[in-house]
């Protein structure tokens, strides 16, 4: 099984969590890492290239910091442009059918803020409903969320452990073959 | 009360519903229509100008076609850049507090698709929770969403009627 991790962070060099996650992923040659802002600093996405990357992998992970309870804008643009009608959905749009789609998200707000009585009011599962439904429409199997909340309060030791857990998550056995 | 309608549609000329809505809203007093893709074709958003526009209005409206169960990319860029820490949120970020916030959304899928058991599984209220959370964090009151669904099957008369309904919805007191 081939795994593609698409990292979307506008300041990856200054990011503690997303950069550490990426460095841990890099220890595993079988994972393809694709950094979106670094590949397309001018925001002009090469759609055929992106589609061919998706076609040549079985599991796709979208890794990003939570911006306004959603993806950073370049990843939204990637969805709008790459997941096209007749390719990813609609008539003849079956190119991603049977693949697995996962999301890995870092959030500033602590875990207990993403609860009905917390200051963000809604859970991560509720807020990522658009991504779950995107997965439904393109015919991919949606993986369990991988989330690290409260990134300002994560110690270096915790982050090191978390990055290992992240790699285990990314490399877990196929959900589809297990069925 | 002054209302700002931020329209985000990458192909407004080819859009029936969003163009009709925009043209109709432009006829209203105290409604400012702001065509985002026309202003920023290269995505280089003037943050200060956008923040000033927000300050001058009491009710903020996002009008857009539903793309992947969310806003088109430029409107996401707008959120990421304009709603800054210390301005829109955080202990000092109180500039939008007390304003009202509304979504106006067109969808290709019909209304019955947006429910459990339907083609899209989730309701518009569920799928727009990120916007509701954004309103909460910036201290704006989230108003009922106006939706027009199944837009491909509408006649011209229905679109015009629908634009009148939008004006009522937009000007209502909540």
């Amino acid at each position: 099984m081939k795994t593609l991790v698409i990292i979307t962070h506008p300041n990856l060099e200054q990011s503690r969590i997303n950069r550490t996650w990426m460095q841990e992923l890099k220890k595993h040659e079988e994972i393809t890492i694709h950094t979106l802002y670094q590949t397309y600093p001018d925001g002009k996405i090469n759609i055929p290239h992106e589609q061919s990357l998706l076609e040549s992998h079985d599991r796709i992970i979208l890794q990003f910091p939570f911006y306004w309870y959603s993806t950073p804008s370049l990843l939204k643009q990637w969805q709008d442009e790459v997941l096209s009608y007749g390719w990813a959905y609609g008539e003849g749009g079956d190119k991603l059918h049977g693949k697995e789609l996962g999301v890995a998200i870092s959030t500033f707000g602590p875990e207990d803020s993403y609860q009905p009585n917390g200051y963000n009011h809604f859970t991560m599962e509720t807020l990522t409903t658009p991504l779950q439904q995107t997965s439904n429409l393109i015919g991919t199997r949606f993986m369990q969320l991988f989330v690290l909340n409260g990134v300002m309060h994560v110690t270096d030791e915790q982050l090191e452990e978390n990055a290992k857990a992240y790699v285990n998550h990314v490399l877990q056995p196929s959900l589809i073959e297990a069925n | 009360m002054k209302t700002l309608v931020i329209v985000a549609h990458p192909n407004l000329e080819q859009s029936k519903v969003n163009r009709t809505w925009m043209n109709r809203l432009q006829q209203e007093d105290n409604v400012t229509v702001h065509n985002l893709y026309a202003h920023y074709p290269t995505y280089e958003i003037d943050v200060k100008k956008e923040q000033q526009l927000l300050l001058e209005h009491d009710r903020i409206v996002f009008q857009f076609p539903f793309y992947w169960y969310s806003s088109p990319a430029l409107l996401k860029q707008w959120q990421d850049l304009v709603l800054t820490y210390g301005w829109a949120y955080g202990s000092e970020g109180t500039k939008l507090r007390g304003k009202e916030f509304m979504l106006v959304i067109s969808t290709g899928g019909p209304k019955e698709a947006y429910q459990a058991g339907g083609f899209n599984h989730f309701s518009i209220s569920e799928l727009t929770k990120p916007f509701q959370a954004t309103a909460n964090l910036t201290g704006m009151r989230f108003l009922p969403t106006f939706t027009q669904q199944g837009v491909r099957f509408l006649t011209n008369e229905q679109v015009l009627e629908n634009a009148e309904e939008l004006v009522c919805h937009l000007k209502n007191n909540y």
Side-chain angles (χ1 to χ4, degrees), chain A:
Chain A
M1 192 181 61
K2 292 184 71 183
T3 298
L4 171 68
V5 180
I6 300 177
I7 303 175
T8 314
H9 193 300
N11 297 301
L12 197 52
E13 283 311 305
Q14 283 147 53
S15 146
R16 182 163 158 254
I17 308 298
N18 279 269
R19 199 189 56 228
T20 304
W21 280 355
M22 180 176 73
Q23 283 163 351
E24 197 64 31
L25 292 172
K26 277 186 173 167
K27 294 177 184 169
H28 301 265
E29 280 179 10
E30 66 269 41
I31 301 172
T32 309
I33 298 170
H34 180 40
T35 53
L36 219 51
Y37 274 98
Q38 289 64 36
T39 309
Y40 304 116
D42 59 356
K44 290 193 174 65
I45 294 174
N46 181 337
I47 296 169
H49 174 69
E50 294 299 315
Q51 291 183 339
S52 123
L53 258 181
L54 294 173
E55 287 188 41
S56 59
H57 291 81
D58 311 293
R59 172 177 286 166
I60 295 130
I61 308 280
L62 306 175
Q63 177 194 318
F64 55 92
F66 220 25
Y67 281 8
W68 292 110
Y69 312 104
S70 181
T71 64
S73 58
L74 185 59
L75 187 54
K76 187 64 199 6
Q77 186 182 338
W78 181 93
Q79 295 171 66
D80 292 355
E81 296 181 0
V82 177
L83 306 180
S84 55
Y85 183 87
W87 187 85
Y89 72 105
E91 209 182 325
D94 59 357
K95 294 293 191 290
L96 302 174
H97 282 194
K99 297 182 190 291
E100 297 175 14
L101 181 70
V103 293
I105 305 173
S106 63
T107 79
F108 185 84
E111 192 174 355
D112 60 8
S113 72
Y114 288 96
Q115 292 296 332
N117 63 343
Y119 73 80
N120 286 313
H121 299 291
F122 303 113
T123 64
M124 292 300 294
E125 285 77 10
T126 296
L127 292 164
T128 53
T129 301
L131 290 162
Q132 293 171 45
Q133 177 48 26
T134 295
S135 178
N136 289 338
L137 197 69
I138 63 178
T140 52
R141 171 88 176 250
F142 197 64
M143 297 171 68
Q144 195 176 334
L145 303 177
F146 188 88
V147 175
L148 182 57
N149 295 120
V151 298
M152 299 303 279
H153 304 290
V154 175
T155 65
D156 287 346
E157 291 72 29
Q158 286 169 333
L159 180 54
E160 199 179 320
E161 260 179 51
N162 178 265
K164 288 194 166 57
Y166 176 45
V167 168
N168 287 338
H169 175 81
V170 169
L171 290 177
Q172 69 183 281
S174 167
L175 304 167
I176 290 162
E177 284 161 19
N179 277 347

Side-chain angles (χ1 to χ4, degrees), chain B residues 3-64:
Chain B
T3 298
L4 173 66
V5 182
I6 299 176
V7 179
H9 192 301
N11 295 301
L12 205 52
E13 284 312 305
Q14 281 150 54
S15 145
K16 191 159 70 173
V17 171
N18 278 272
R19 198 185 56 232
T20 306
W21 282 350
M22 188 180 79
N23 291 341
R24 180 62 187 84
L25 292 175
Q26 278 170 336
Q27 299 167 23
E28 289 298 308
D29 292 334
N30 294 317
V31 174
T32 306
V33 174
H34 183 40
N35 182 346
L36 215 54
Y37 275 91
H39 270 83
Y40 304 115
T42 58
Y43 279 59
E44 281 159 58
I45 292 174
D46 184 340
V47 174
K48 288 273 170 268
K49 186 185 150 184
E50 296 299 314
Q51 290 181 340
Q52 187 55 38
L53 261 179
L54 292 171
L55 292 176
E56 289 164 4
H57 294 82
D58 313 293
R59 181 175 283 180
I60 313 300
V61 179
F62 284 180
Q63 180 199 314
F64 57 92

Side-chain angles (χ1 to χ4, degrees), chain B residues 117-129:
Chain B
F119 185 71
N120 287 314
H121 301 285
F122 300 102
S123 67
I124 296 287
S125 283
E126 289 172 299
L127 292 164
T128 55
K129 282 288 176 272

Side-chain angles (χ1 to χ4, degrees), chain B residues 54-122:
Chain B
L54 292 171
L55 292 176
E56 289 164 4
H57 294 82
D58 313 293
R59 181 175 283 180
I60 313 300
V61 179
F62 284 180
Q63 180 199 314
F64 57 92
F66 222 26
Y67 281 10
W68 292 111
Y69 311 105
S70 183
S71 64
L74 182 59
L75 187 51
K76 188 63 197 9
Q77 168 104 329
W78 183 97
Q79 294 170 67
D80 292 353
L81 298 181
V82 177
L83 304 180
T84 52
Y85 181 84
W87 189 86
Y89 69 106
S91 57
E92 316 256 302
T94 58
K95 294 289 194 289
L96 300 176
R97 216 167 270 184
K99 295 185 190 292
E100 296 176 330
F101 181 65
M102 180 189 287
L103 300 175
V104 174
I105 300 174
S106 65
T107 74
K111 195 173 176 183
E112 58 270 23
Y114 287 88
Q115 59 180 322
F119 185 71
N120 287 314
H121 301 285
F122 300 102

